[in-house]
Each structure stands twice: as C-alpha cells, then as structure tokens.
Amino acid sequence: MSLEPDNLQARLASARFFFFSRDLPSLQQEIAAIPLQYQELPDVLYIKGLSARLAGDDNEALTYFENTFDKIQTSETMGTVADQLWQMGRQRDSLALQNKWLSEHSDDSDSRLKMAQYYKQQGENALAMDQYALVLERDGTNIAALNSSAWIMRESDPGKGLTLIDRALAVDPLNPALLDTKGVLLLKSGQLEEAETHFNKALLAQPREPNILFHLAMLKVAENDMGKAELILN
C-alpha cells in the first residue's frame, strides 16, 4: 500500500492496523514515513508508544504515553498511561494517577469503572464497590456498575445482588452477561430451577460461551447430576 507522505490520518490508520496485526516491522516503517513536522503530535506519540509496547520496551512505551498525556489530557490518554503502569507492575502508581484524575474529573464514569476493575484484580472488592456506588449515584441504570456490583455480592449477599441485577435487566432484559450473573445469584440463593432458566436464556444468545456453560455445569453439580455436568463441560 502506497500513501502520500503528508497523509497523516491515513498513515495513523495504517499504523494502528499494523499494531493490531502485531506486524512490528510494518508499524515501524509506517512511523518512520511520517514527516518530521508531525512527529511530536499527540496522535503520533501515541502510535510510537504502541510500537514500543509491541517491541516489548515498556519504559519507552510509558515515556511516549506520558508525553501524549502531557500534550492532551483526556480520559483516554490518562487511561493509556495507567494501563502501561499496571502492565509494568507499578499498580500503586497506576491507581494514584487514576485517583488524581478522578479527583479532578468526578463525572468521568468510564475511568471510574476502569479503576474499579483494577481494584477487583487486586482483590480489593470493597474499594471496587465504592467506585461502582459513585457511578450509580450519577447514573442509577449504569449496566456495567450494576452487573459488577451484583457479581461481587454473589457470595456475601446474593439477595442484594439480585436486586441490583434486576435493575440492570430492566434496562437490557436480553443481555446474556446479565442473565448469566442473575443465574449465578439464583444458584447461590438455592433457587436452582429459576437459575437454570436464566442460564438457558443466556445460552440462546451465546450458545458456546464458556463461562455460562461452566455456571450451568455448576448448577448440575448442585443437583447431584454429575453426568449432565460432565456432558455440558465436554
């Protein structure tokens, strides 16, 4: 593919394609072809960061992402820096950056949801729930916050989890992820027949989804139907 040297947007699109294709030589070649006067633009610095990440140079990737964030401070550029820090094992720095951002942009629900996921990865469910609660204060129908909150509560308080997941299903009643979560909550509550109904509804939308199949197999184990559980998993 031949591109005009000054066709920056086309080159950036091509570079992103090579990144997602994991074609590092072509990505590096595309970056090198970008004219010098564009090399310090935020979009170009970001692509350079992706290239460094693909090459396995985490420190260089971080430098490019931080430079991008310095030039244009958005939820996306902050999130890229936070992701890179996390990937490098600098979880504390990643969370500090996200907390600082949210202290200045309290209405950024997407960033708040992302930080909640990081807390969940660390097993800090209470801190994750705090973030979901703040999202729901602004938008009581936020499906991601309702589903994640309900999922966390599956062991400690499945009854309250059911209340939350029903709020999400009222917004999107055929969402297979929500149906699966409700199935697990019903299973944990001992409502096996209703749980199976919800797993089967979820499987109508995603017949081969491993998580749903695993949860259905869990239900069969709870019913002492080991043969059916094994059949589902195989």
Side-chain angles (χ1 to χ4, degrees), residues 13-158:
S14 180
R16 289 188 184 91
F17 170 79
F18 290 133
F19 171 74
F20 288 113
S21 302
R22 304 190 67 79
D23 184 349
L24 181 60
S26 296
L27 173 56
Q28 291 173 329
Q29 182 178 350
E30 202 64 58
I31 291 171
I34 295 173
L36 184 61
Q37 67 265 31
Y38 299 142
Q39 288 287 332
E40 295 300 313
L41 291 178
D43 286 348
V44 177
L45 292 172
Y46 174 74
I47 291 295
K48 289 179 178 180
L50 293 181
S51 178
R53 177 184 284 178
L54 189 57
D57 191 336
D58 284 336
N59 288 315
E60 183 173 312
L62 179 61
T63 297
Y64 280 125
F65 292 145
E66 287 178 332
N67 288 342
T68 305
F69 182 54
D70 286 342
K71 287 177 178 289
I72 178 169
Q73 298 199 355
T74 66
S75 174
E76 291 75 17
T77 58
M78 182 282 299
T80 303
V81 176
D83 286 344
Q84 186 64 30
L85 287 167
W86 195 273
Q87 181 175 302
M88 294 169 68
R90 293 171 56 183
Q91 284 84 0
R92 183 176 298 180
D93 292 335
S94 176
L95 290 170
L97 174 63
Q98 293 174 77
N99 271 304
K100 183 177 184 300
W101 175 265
L102 287 168
S103 72
E104 300 167 355
H105 305 83
S106 60
D107 61 342
D108 185 352
S109 292
D110 288 341
S111 292
R112 200 172 291 285
L113 288 169
K114 190 170 188 176
M115 187 166 71
Q117 288 298 111
Y118 281 132
Y119 279 134
K120 281 177 63 179
Q121 288 181 36
Q122 288 194 312
E124 299 282 1
N125 285 341
L127 293 175
M129 288 292 286
D130 288 343
Q131 297 305 314
Y132 294 135
L134 288 169
V135 171
L136 291 171
E137 280 182 13
R138 297 188 61 82
D139 176 10
T141 62
N142 187 290
I143 287 176
L146 289 167
N147 188 40
S148 295
S149 298
W151 181 256
I152 287 174
M153 304 197 78
R154 70 192 184 280
E155 301 290 352
S156 61
D157 193 347

